[in-house]
Amino acid sequence: AQSVTQLDSQVPVFEEAPVELRCNYSSSVSVYLFWYVQYPNQGLQLLLKYLSGSTLVKGINGFEAEFNKSQTSFHLRKPSVHISDTAEYFCAVTSNRDDKIIFGKGTRLHILP
Amino acid sequence: GAVVSQHPSWVICKSGTSVKIECRSLDFQATTMFWYRQFPKQSLMLMATSNEGSKATYEQGVEKDKFLINHASLTLSTLTVTSAHPEDSSFYICSASIGTSGRAFNEQFFGPGTRLTVL
């Protein structure tokens, strides 16, 4: 079975400051990892995904994430946040065994002016 | 490409009535569609997986007679909440996958969600 842990339910950060949203996963098989963003009352938008290859993955809106197999982590980072980045961010995992996606509980990113 | 729509975007209904939510893949054929439920300030919980032309597979704890899923074509799946009650109020999100056999990974594309409020 797979699981995802997002350690922070909320992260406040000042505008133009860097941010890191943490994600750890657990799985007995090879995984595919994702970060999704959800703006209020909207569906999910894929920020980035790791399938294989380079462990540093670049996504949309200036976000990037690094897959660390030894630490079973897939933390999301952005060097300088903007007020428009205020949203809920979900880390998710799946595998090649089935198509089910397991979501973390989400991290709410608060951008402070 | 890979756009998924849902209709309606929001619906309010009286307790005891049934509500149908549609999920459409607009520019691709989806062999597999997924239905999720999201309560306020919580994560997405998978309710069921449906493959075109076959019965849906429900997750543990999800009542199949209450949440009827029909995947009649490669571009349309419907979720019907039967005899809805206030505790069914939630944000329902669907996703669709191309589901090419033999591929190790089939990406899911998410719809914008439907907010259901049962009075």
Side-chain angles (χ1 to χ4, degrees):
Chain A
Q2 298 149 35
S3 66
V4 177
T5 302
Q6 290 183 247
L7 297 169
D8 306 301
S9 59
Q10 295 188 63
V11 172
V13 61
F14 286 103
E15 196 170 11
E16 298 183 8
V19 68
E20 178 180 85
L21 304 183
R22 296 180 293 170
C23 172
N24 288 88
Y25 69 92
S26 173
S27 177
S28 58
V29 297
S30 295
V31 297
Y32 305 121
L33 294 155
F34 310 85
W35 275 98
Y36 289 90
V37 60
Q38 184 180 35
Y39 299 103
N41 296 310
Q42 294 187 31
L44 298 184
Q45 181 179 5
L46 181 65
L47 276 179
L48 47 81
K49 60 188 176 190
Y50 171 78
L51 303 182
S52 64
S54 173
T55 57
L56 183 62
V57 180
K58 294 190 182 296
I60 63 172
N61 301 341
F63 284 94
E64 63 180 33
E66 186 157 18
F67 171 60
N68 188 320
K69 189 174 182 180
S70 62
Q71 296 186 6
T72 60
S73 67
F74 191 55
H75 301 331
L76 180 70
R77 303 186 185 98
K78 186 171 182 176
S80 175
V81 296
H82 188 267
I83 195 75
S84 60
D85 292 324
T86 298
E88 189 87 19
Y89 292 80
F90 293 97
C91 182
V93 63
T94 188
S95 75
N96 60 3
R97 296 293 179 90
D98 61 46
D99 288 334
K100 292 181 183 179
I101 295 179
I102 307 300
F103 288 90
K105 292 188 175 182
T107 298
R108 183 166 295 276
L109 181 59
H110 290 285
I111 308 300
L112 307 172
Chain B
V3 177
V4 176
S5 71
Q6 283 184 240
H7 178 80
S9 55
W10 58 270
V11 57
I12 301 173
C13 69
K14 292 182 179 180
S15 184
T17 62
S18 295
V19 174
K20 179 184 285 188
I21 303 170
E22 293 185 349
C23 176
R24 293 181 184 272
S25 56
L26 299 185
D27 50 3
F28 66 100
Q29 293 188 324
T31 53
T32 307
M33 287 188 169
F34 303 82
W35 286 96
Y36 297 84
R37 181 166 55 183
Q38 184 182 30
F39 290 109
K41 300 186 187 297
Q42 294 188 30
S43 189
L44 281 74
M45 298 301 296
L46 180 65
M47 299 175 67
T49 304
S50 73
N51 291 294
E52 184 264 340
S54 62
K55 291 184 178 180
T57 302
Y58 290 81
E59 294 300 299
Q60 192 172 6
V62 178
E63 301 174 58
K64 61 180 68 176
D65 294 331
K66 181 167 185 61
F67 298 99
L68 301 178
I69 292 172
N70 183 279
H71 192 163
S73 77
L74 286 172
T75 60
L76 173 65
S77 176
T78 61
L79 167 68
T80 301
V81 184
T82 62
S83 187
H85 291 284
E87 57 266 29
D88 298 323
S89 298
S90 188
F91 195 51
Y92 291 87
I93 301 176
C94 75
S95 70
S97 168
I98 295 174
T100 304
S101 63
R103 281 184 58 181
F105 169 68
N106 295 304
E107 184 169 349
Q108 291 184 30
F109 302 95
F110 287 83
T114 297
R115 183 160 302 282
L116 170 63
T117 301
V118 184
L119 303 177

